[in-house]
Amino acid sequence: MEGPRTPESHELHRIVEFLDSQLRQGNNWTIASEYPTAITPNNIHNMSIVTEDERIVSHAVLKTYIVKTPYAILKVGAIGSVVTDPAYRQQGLSTGNIKKCLELAEKQDCDLAILWTDQFDFYRKLGFELAGFDYSYIFNSTEPVKNKSLRFMSGNNVDPNALLRLYSQHTVHAVRTLEDFRQFLKIPNSNVYTAWDQNNTLLAYAVEGKGVDLINYIHEWSGQAEALMDLFHYIRSQKQQPITVMAPSHSQNLRNKLSNVAEVSHQGYLGMMKIVNEQALLTKVKKIFAAEGIDKAVLEKQDGKYVFGFGTDLYTLANESDMLQLIFGPLNVNNLDFVSNDSKQKISKVLPLPLWIWGWDSI
Ligand SMILES: CC(C)(COP(=O)(O)OP(=O)(O)OC[C@H]1O[C@@H](n2cnc3c(N)ncnc32)[C@H](O)[C@@H]1OP(=O)(O)O)[C@@H](O)C(=O)NCCC(=O)NCCS
């Protein structure tokens, strides 16, 4: 066996064949069309494979994103398409590929890595932990739309410029190019719904489904909250069944509106995350405190433990995962009895940092 290693460019078609046979049997599309920015020749340097006699037997891929947030720019490495041929499992091959992806992420200055999985224990062994927030709302309202002058459309024949313009207004978003949007519009089973005003200006868009995943989930949306709510009503009426809308914690306005009409709401985690460049991330967080006028923030690793606080008012967290959950949630400093009220107040001004990855970027 050879690897984990970076594939050569001529091996890409074999990787895609391997992934299709392992993960997309019975589908009439290739997995590469679902992840057009990750499983592509441009990103082959971020793939890790194990081969036997030139045959791919295990794979994982890293896709890096520059994520803009109101307080900091974060570099995030998403890891996906982790799979080992059943005949080669339990030999540490996926562990090796994930470690290789983490090394690549570190070399490319990612602050943290993220992935989406239900195999929590497997990834915990590799240092990942559930963190961040993800709110979802089951939208089943059959009321008519409020703004009768809006025009709704269903279909992916939309100007990517218009989508990019709205998307870029999000306070938290991964930087995307126009070409990214062109590619995303072609993802199979990814349905775009749009709301337009009388001047044919795009006011809101929403995306449901993505390949085999996120069916009936609105995993990406942008635009004015009122227009979005009307758009959700339209999608609900088109689909003739409830839809689930996913939203970040910081989208307070839309979340309030959704709470008022949703049958069920649920607070979950953004994903499983791991700090990749500890020093870089902690420095970024300290700078945010300074920018907010909060002096003497301490956030560092000492003797394997995590020290935080202000000046001499210091506290310790035993694990990296605790620090991760303090920075991105859901750990709430106000629930830590041992922290002084003064420090609680200062920390809650900055933490948890808002972080979100929109659905089309998930891998
Ligand atoms: C989940 C999956 C990717 C794991 O791949 P794998 O190559 O078997 O992974 P590893 O061998 O590194 O680890 C699997 C187990 O073997 C153990 N292991 C690791 N190194 C080992 C070694 N050298 N020898 C024996 N066992 C080992 C691991 O600790 C792990 O234990 P766990 O099952 O208790 O968590 C694989 O089962 C798979 O492809 N599943 C289908 C696709 C899928 O679900 N992908 C995940 C999507 S996020």
Side-chain angles (χ1 to χ4, degrees), residues 23 82-84 88-95 116-117 119 122-123 125:
L23 301 172
V82 178
V83 59
T84 297
Y88 293 81
R89 288 182 188 169
Q90 307 287 326
Q91 299 175 36
L93 302 191
S94 284
T95 301
W116 294 274
T117 182
Q119 312 223 8
F122 173 64
Y123 287 103
K125 287 184 197 161

PDB file of all heavy atoms in Angstrom, residues 23 82-84 88-95 116-117 119 122-123 125, ligand 1:
ATOM      1  N   LEU A  23     -19.725   6.042  -2.665  1.00  0.00           N
ATOM      2  CA  LEU A  23     -20.654   6.970  -2.001  1.00  0.00           C
ATOM      3  C   LEU A  23     -21.868   7.362  -2.843  1.00  0.00           C
ATOM      4  O   LEU A  23     -22.813   7.948  -2.324  1.00  0.00           O
ATOM      5  CB  LEU A  23     -19.905   8.264  -1.582  1.00  0.00           C
ATOM      6  CG  LEU A  23     -18.720   8.089  -0.631  1.00  0.00           C
ATOM      7  CD1 LEU A  23     -17.965   9.391  -0.451  1.00  0.00           C
ATOM      8  CD2 LEU A  23     -19.206   7.588   0.733  1.00  0.00           C
ATOM      9  N   VAL A  82     -14.602  11.564   3.037  1.00  0.00           N
ATOM     10  CA  VAL A  82     -13.719  10.642   3.769  1.00  0.00           C
ATOM     11  C   VAL A  82     -14.280   9.231   3.590  1.00  0.00           C
ATOM     12  O   VAL A  82     -15.397   8.956   4.039  1.00  0.00           O
ATOM     13  CB  VAL A  82     -13.687  11.002   5.276  1.00  0.00           C
ATOM     14  CG1 VAL A  82     -12.804  10.020   6.039  1.00  0.00           C
ATOM     15  CG2 VAL A  82     -13.216  12.434   5.478  1.00  0.00           C
ATOM     16  N   VAL A  83     -13.551   8.372   2.932  1.00  0.00           N
ATOM     17  CA  VAL A  83     -14.069   7.020   2.721  1.00  0.00           C
ATOM     18  C   VAL A  83     -12.921   6.039   2.464  1.00  0.00           C
ATOM     19  O   VAL A  83     -11.908   6.390   1.850  1.00  0.00           O
ATOM     20  CB  VAL A  83     -15.105   6.999   1.559  1.00  0.00           C
ATOM     21  CG1 VAL A  83     -14.530   7.466   0.263  1.00  0.00           C
ATOM     22  CG2 VAL A  83     -15.748   5.635   1.383  1.00  0.00           C
ATOM     23  N   THR A  84     -13.141   4.823   2.977  1.00  0.00           N
ATOM     24  CA  THR A  84     -12.190   3.728   2.737  1.00  0.00           C
ATOM     25  C   THR A  84     -12.965   2.552   2.149  1.00  0.00           C
ATOM     26  O   THR A  84     -14.080   2.252   2.619  1.00  0.00           O
ATOM     27  CB  THR A  84     -11.515   3.301   4.058  1.00  0.00           C
ATOM     28  OG1 THR A  84     -10.769   4.418   4.557  1.00  0.00           O
ATOM     29  CG2 THR A  84     -10.551   2.133   3.860  1.00  0.00           C
ATOM     30  N   TYR A  88     -10.673  -2.557   3.238  1.00  0.00           N
ATOM     31  CA  TYR A  88      -9.443  -1.978   3.807  1.00  0.00           C
ATOM     32  C   TYR A  88      -9.709  -1.169   5.080  1.00  0.00           C
ATOM     33  O   TYR A  88      -8.855  -0.421   5.529  1.00  0.00           O
ATOM     34  CB  TYR A  88      -8.768  -1.077   2.766  1.00  0.00           C
ATOM     35  CG  TYR A  88      -8.238  -1.842   1.573  1.00  0.00           C
ATOM     36  CD1 TYR A  88      -9.092  -2.217   0.529  1.00  0.00           C
ATOM     37  CD2 TYR A  88      -6.896  -2.204   1.493  1.00  0.00           C
ATOM     38  CE1 TYR A  88      -8.615  -2.919  -0.565  1.00  0.00           C
ATOM     39  CE2 TYR A  88      -6.408  -2.903   0.407  1.00  0.00           C
ATOM     40  CZ  TYR A  88      -7.271  -3.268  -0.615  1.00  0.00           C
ATOM     41  OH  TYR A  88      -6.796  -3.970  -1.694  1.00  0.00           O
ATOM     42  N   ARG A  89     -10.902  -1.304   5.642  1.00  0.00           N
ATOM     43  CA  ARG A  89     -11.234  -0.495   6.819  1.00  0.00           C
ATOM     44  C   ARG A  89     -10.557  -1.023   8.086  1.00  0.00           C
ATOM     45  O   ARG A  89     -10.027  -2.119   8.093  1.00  0.00           O
ATOM     46  CB  ARG A  89     -12.766  -0.460   6.997  1.00  0.00           C
ATOM     47  CG  ARG A  89     -13.392   0.410   5.922  1.00  0.00           C
ATOM     48  CD  ARG A  89     -14.900   0.540   6.051  1.00  0.00           C
ATOM     49  NE  ARG A  89     -15.399   1.225   4.852  1.00  0.00           N
ATOM     50  CZ  ARG A  89     -16.666   1.324   4.511  1.00  0.00           C
ATOM     51  NH1 ARG A  89     -17.594   0.816   5.283  1.00  0.00           N
ATOM     52  NH2 ARG A  89     -17.010   1.963   3.401  1.00  0.00           N
ATOM     53  N   GLN A  90     -10.587  -0.229   9.127  1.00  0.00           N
ATOM     54  CA  GLN A  90     -10.027  -0.566  10.453  1.00  0.00           C
ATOM     55  C   GLN A  90      -8.514  -0.779  10.405  1.00  0.00           C
ATOM     56  O   GLN A  90      -7.972  -1.523  11.185  1.00  0.00           O
ATOM     57  CB  GLN A  90     -10.696  -1.834  11.035  1.00  0.00           C
ATOM     58  CG  GLN A  90     -12.204  -1.786  11.068  1.00  0.00           C
ATOM     59  CD  GLN A  90     -12.755  -0.849  12.132  1.00  0.00           C
ATOM     60  OE1 GLN A  90     -12.180  -0.691  13.195  1.00  0.00           O
ATOM     61  NE2 GLN A  90     -13.860  -0.181  11.841  1.00  0.00           N
ATOM     62  N   GLN A  91      -7.860  -0.149   9.456  1.00  0.00           N
ATOM     63  CA  GLN A  91      -6.396  -0.266   9.392  1.00  0.00           C
ATOM     64  C   GLN A  91      -5.726   1.095   9.539  1.00  0.00           C
ATOM     65  O   GLN A  91      -4.551   1.241   9.253  1.00  0.00           O
ATOM     66  CB  GLN A  91      -5.979  -0.889   8.055  1.00  0.00           C
ATOM     67  CG  GLN A  91      -6.517  -2.280   7.817  1.00  0.00           C
ATOM     68  CD  GLN A  91      -6.176  -2.796   6.418  1.00  0.00           C
ATOM     69  OE1 GLN A  91      -5.103  -2.512   5.886  1.00  0.00           O
ATOM     70  NE2 GLN A  91      -7.078  -3.537   5.820  1.00  0.00           N
ATOM     71  N   GLY A  92      -6.517   2.095   9.879  1.00  0.00           N
ATOM     72  CA  GLY A  92      -5.945   3.425  10.081  1.00  0.00           C
ATOM     73  C   GLY A  92      -5.805   4.259   8.817  1.00  0.00           C
ATOM     74  O   GLY A  92      -5.169   5.318   8.853  1.00  0.00           O
ATOM     75  N   LEU A  93      -6.421   3.815   7.708  1.00  0.00           N
ATOM     76  CA  LEU A  93      -6.226   4.561   6.453  1.00  0.00           C
ATOM     77  C   LEU A  93      -6.933   5.926   6.477  1.00  0.00           C
ATOM     78  O   LEU A  93      -6.336   6.941   6.106  1.00  0.00           O
ATOM     79  CB  LEU A  93      -6.698   3.740   5.238  1.00  0.00           C
ATOM     80  CG  LEU A  93      -6.020   2.375   5.046  1.00  0.00           C
ATOM     81  CD1 LEU A  93      -6.372   1.781   3.686  1.00  0.00           C
ATOM     82  CD2 LEU A  93      -4.505   2.472   5.180  1.00  0.00           C
ATOM     83  N   SER A  94      -8.186   5.944   6.921  1.00  0.00           N
ATOM     84  CA  SER A  94      -8.875   7.247   6.993  1.00  0.00           C
ATOM     85  C   SER A  94      -8.209   8.148   8.017  1.00  0.00           C
ATOM     86  O   SER A  94      -8.052   9.358   7.786  1.00  0.00           O
ATOM     87  CB  SER A  94     -10.352   7.062   7.339  1.00  0.00           C
ATOM     88  OG  SER A  94     -11.053   6.603   6.222  1.00  0.00           O
ATOM     89  N   THR A  95      -7.799   7.565   9.114  1.00  0.00           N
ATOM     90  CA  THR A  95      -7.077   8.348  10.128  1.00  0.00           C
ATOM     91  C   THR A  95      -5.868   9.022   9.468  1.00  0.00           C
ATOM     92  O   THR A  95      -5.632  10.222   9.666  1.00  0.00           O
ATOM     93  CB  THR A  95      -6.624   7.426  11.291  1.00  0.00           C
ATOM     94  OG1 THR A  95      -7.791   6.833  11.846  1.00  0.00           O
ATOM     95  CG2 THR A  95      -5.875   8.189  12.357  1.00  0.00           C
ATOM     96  N   TRP A 116     -18.546  17.669   8.529  1.00  0.00           N
ATOM     97  CA  TRP A 116     -19.925  17.327   8.854  1.00  0.00           C
ATOM     98  C   TRP A 116     -20.053  15.812   8.799  1.00  0.00           C
ATOM     99  O   TRP A 116     -19.717  15.187   7.779  1.00  0.00           O
ATOM    100  CB  TRP A 116     -20.879  18.005   7.854  1.00  0.00           C
ATOM    101  CG  TRP A 116     -20.826  19.491   8.027  1.00  0.00           C
ATOM    102  CD1 TRP A 116     -21.563  20.217   8.919  1.00  0.00           C
ATOM    103  CD2 TRP A 116     -19.977  20.425   7.344  1.00  0.00           C
ATOM    104  NE1 TRP A 116     -21.216  21.553   8.829  1.00  0.00           N
ATOM    105  CE2 TRP A 116     -20.255  21.702   7.875  1.00  0.00           C
ATOM    106  CE3 TRP A 116     -19.003  20.320   6.345  1.00  0.00           C
ATOM    107  CZ2 TRP A 116     -19.608  22.856   7.437  1.00  0.00           C
ATOM    108  CZ3 TRP A 116     -18.360  21.461   5.918  1.00  0.00           C
ATOM    109  CH2 TRP A 116     -18.661  22.713   6.468  1.00  0.00           C
ATOM    110  N   THR A 117     -20.489  15.223   9.896  1.00  0.00           N
ATOM    111  CA  THR A 117     -20.506  13.764  10.020  1.00  0.00           C
ATOM    112  C   THR A 117     -21.482  13.342  11.102  1.00  0.00           C
ATOM    113  O   THR A 117     -21.903  14.169  11.921  1.00  0.00           O
ATOM    114  CB  THR A 117     -19.087  13.265  10.406  1.00  0.00           C
ATOM    115  OG1 THR A 117     -19.097  11.849  10.477  1.00  0.00           O
ATOM    116  CG2 THR A 117     -18.631  13.816  11.753  1.00  0.00           C
ATOM    117  N   GLN A 119     -20.379  10.417  12.607  1.00  0.00           N
ATOM    118  CA  GLN A 119     -19.450   9.495  13.273  1.00  0.00           C
ATOM    119  C   GLN A 119     -18.606  10.272  14.302  1.00  0.00           C
ATOM    120  O   GLN A 119     -17.394  10.442  14.148  1.00  0.00           O
ATOM    121  CB  GLN A 119     -18.537   8.852  12.229  1.00  0.00           C
ATOM    122  CG  GLN A 119     -19.322   8.331  11.050  1.00  0.00           C
ATOM    123  CD  GLN A 119     -18.867   6.960  10.594  1.00  0.00           C
ATOM    124  OE1 GLN A 119     -18.054   6.315  11.238  1.00  0.00           O
ATOM    125  NE2 GLN A 119     -19.402   6.527   9.479  1.00  0.00           N
ATOM    126  N   PHE A 122     -15.455   8.602  16.105  1.00  0.00           N
ATOM    127  CA  PHE A 122     -14.294   8.429  15.210  1.00  0.00           C
ATOM    128  C   PHE A 122     -13.513   9.736  15.101  1.00  0.00           C
ATOM    129  O   PHE A 122     -12.281   9.751  15.229  1.00  0.00           O
ATOM    130  CB  PHE A 122     -14.788   7.953  13.835  1.00  0.00           C
ATOM    131  CG  PHE A 122     -13.716   7.893  12.785  1.00  0.00           C
ATOM    132  CD1 PHE A 122     -12.639   7.026  12.915  1.00  0.00           C
ATOM    133  CD2 PHE A 122     -13.774   8.713  11.660  1.00  0.00           C
ATOM    134  CE1 PHE A 122     -11.646   6.959  11.946  1.00  0.00           C
ATOM    135  CE2 PHE A 122     -12.785   8.662  10.684  1.00  0.00           C
ATOM    136  CZ  PHE A 122     -11.719   7.778  10.835  1.00  0.00           C
ATOM    137  N   TYR A 123     -14.228  10.849  14.908  1.00  0.00           N
ATOM    138  CA  TYR A 123     -13.528  12.126  14.735  1.00  0.00           C
ATOM    139  C   TYR A 123     -13.030  12.712  16.061  1.00  0.00           C
ATOM    140  O   TYR A 123     -12.072  13.481  16.077  1.00  0.00           O
ATOM    141  CB  TYR A 123     -14.416  13.117  13.974  1.00  0.00           C
ATOM    142  CG  TYR A 123     -14.504  12.738  12.507  1.00  0.00           C
ATOM    143  CD1 TYR A 123     -15.627  12.104  11.985  1.00  0.00           C
ATOM    144  CD2 TYR A 123     -13.441  12.973  11.658  1.00  0.00           C
ATOM    145  CE1 TYR A 123     -15.685  11.740  10.657  1.00  0.00           C
ATOM    146  CE2 TYR A 123     -13.483  12.608  10.324  1.00  0.00           C
ATOM    147  CZ  TYR A 123     -14.618  11.989   9.831  1.00  0.00           C
ATOM    148  OH  TYR A 123     -14.658  11.611   8.516  1.00  0.00           O
ATOM    149  N   LYS A 125     -11.542  11.038  18.278  1.00  0.00           N
ATOM    150  CA  LYS A 125     -10.198  10.469  18.458  1.00  0.00           C
ATOM    151  C   LYS A 125      -9.154  11.285  17.716  1.00  0.00           C
ATOM    152  O   LYS A 125      -7.968  11.227  18.039  1.00  0.00           O
ATOM    153  CB  LYS A 125     -10.159   9.028  17.928  1.00  0.00           C
ATOM    154  CG  LYS A 125     -10.868   8.040  18.803  1.00  0.00           C
ATOM    155  CD  LYS A 125     -10.675   6.636  18.247  1.00  0.00           C
ATOM    156  CE  LYS A 125     -11.695   5.684  18.834  1.00  0.00           C
ATOM    157  NZ  LYS A 125     -11.858   4.472  18.040  1.00  0.00           N
TER     158      LYS A 125
HETATM  159  C1  LIG B   1     -15.718   5.856   8.591  1.00  0.00           C
HETATM  160  C2  LIG B   1     -14.631   5.371   7.628  1.00  0.00           C
HETATM  161  C3  LIG B   1     -14.259   6.512   6.715  1.00  0.00           C
HETATM  162  C4  LIG B   1     -13.423   4.943   8.458  1.00  0.00           C
HETATM  163  O1  LIG B   1     -12.382   4.533   7.562  1.00  0.00           O
HETATM  164  P1  LIG B   1     -11.208   3.568   8.054  1.00  0.00           P
HETATM  165  O2  LIG B   1     -10.137   3.605   7.054  1.00  0.00           O
HETATM  166  O3  LIG B   1     -11.758   2.261   8.467  1.00  0.00           O
HETATM  167  O4  LIG B   1     -10.751   4.379   9.343  1.00  0.00           O
HETATM  168  P2  LIG B   1      -9.570   3.987  10.343  1.00  0.00           P
HETATM  169  O5  LIG B   1      -9.079   2.627  10.065  1.00  0.00           O
HETATM  170  O6  LIG B   1      -8.609   5.087  10.353  1.00  0.00           O
HETATM  171  O7  LIG B   1     -10.352   4.024  11.703  1.00  0.00           O
HETATM  172  C5  LIG B   1     -11.467   3.140  11.897  1.00  0.00           C
HETATM  173  C6  LIG B   1     -11.329   2.488  13.235  1.00  0.00           C
HETATM  174  O8  LIG B   1     -10.174   1.696  13.236  1.00  0.00           O
HETATM  175  C7  LIG B   1      -9.313   2.123  14.270  1.00  0.00           C
HETATM  176  N1  LIG B   1      -7.921   2.088  13.805  1.00  0.00           N
HETATM  177  C8  LIG B   1      -7.150   3.139  13.494  1.00  0.00           C
HETATM  178  N2  LIG B   1      -5.944   2.742  13.118  1.00  0.00           N
HETATM  179  C9  LIG B   1      -5.944   1.422  13.143  1.00  0.00           C
HETATM  180  C10 LIG B   1      -4.989   0.466  12.841  1.00  0.00           C
HETATM  181  N3  LIG B   1      -3.754   0.791  12.433  1.00  0.00           N
HETATM  182  N4  LIG B   1      -5.353  -0.792  12.968  1.00  0.00           N
HETATM  183  C11 LIG B   1      -6.580  -1.145  13.397  1.00  0.00           C
HETATM  184  N5  LIG B   1      -7.551  -0.250  13.694  1.00  0.00           N
HETATM  185  C12 LIG B   1      -7.225   1.011  13.561  1.00  0.00           C
HETATM  186  C13 LIG B   1      -9.726   3.523  14.570  1.00  0.00           C
HETATM  187  O9  LIG B   1      -9.381   3.886  15.880  1.00  0.00           O
HETATM  188  C14 LIG B   1     -11.176   3.473  14.343  1.00  0.00           C
HETATM  189  O10 LIG B   1     -11.832   2.962  15.466  1.00  0.00           O
HETATM  190  P3  LIG B   1     -13.399   3.212  15.735  1.00  0.00           P
HETATM  191  O11 LIG B   1     -14.146   2.482  14.651  1.00  0.00           O
HETATM  192  O12 LIG B   1     -13.616   2.622  17.076  1.00  0.00           O
HETATM  193  O13 LIG B   1     -13.617   4.692  15.679  1.00  0.00           O
HETATM  194  C15 LIG B   1     -15.111   4.133   6.844  1.00  0.00           C
HETATM  195  O14 LIG B   1     -15.783   3.263   7.703  1.00  0.00           O
HETATM  196  C16 LIG B   1     -15.997   4.459   5.666  1.00  0.00           C
HETATM  197  O15 LIG B   1     -15.527   4.668   4.568  1.00  0.00           O
HETATM  198  N6  LIG B   1     -17.329   4.526   5.901  1.00  0.00           N
HETATM  199  C17 LIG B   1     -18.280   4.822   4.848  1.00  0.00           C
HETATM  200  C18 LIG B   1     -18.210   6.277   4.465  1.00  0.00           C
HETATM  201  C19 LIG B   1     -18.385   7.207   5.630  1.00  0.00           C
HETATM  202  O16 LIG B   1     -19.248   7.005   6.464  1.00  0.00           O
HETATM  203  N7  LIG B   1     -17.559   8.253   5.685  1.00  0.00           N
HETATM  204  C20 LIG B   1     -17.560   9.234   6.729  1.00  0.00           C
HETATM  205  C21 LIG B   1     -18.259  10.414   6.247  1.00  0.00           C
HETATM  206  S1  LIG B   1     -17.828  11.778   7.232  1.00  0.00           S
END
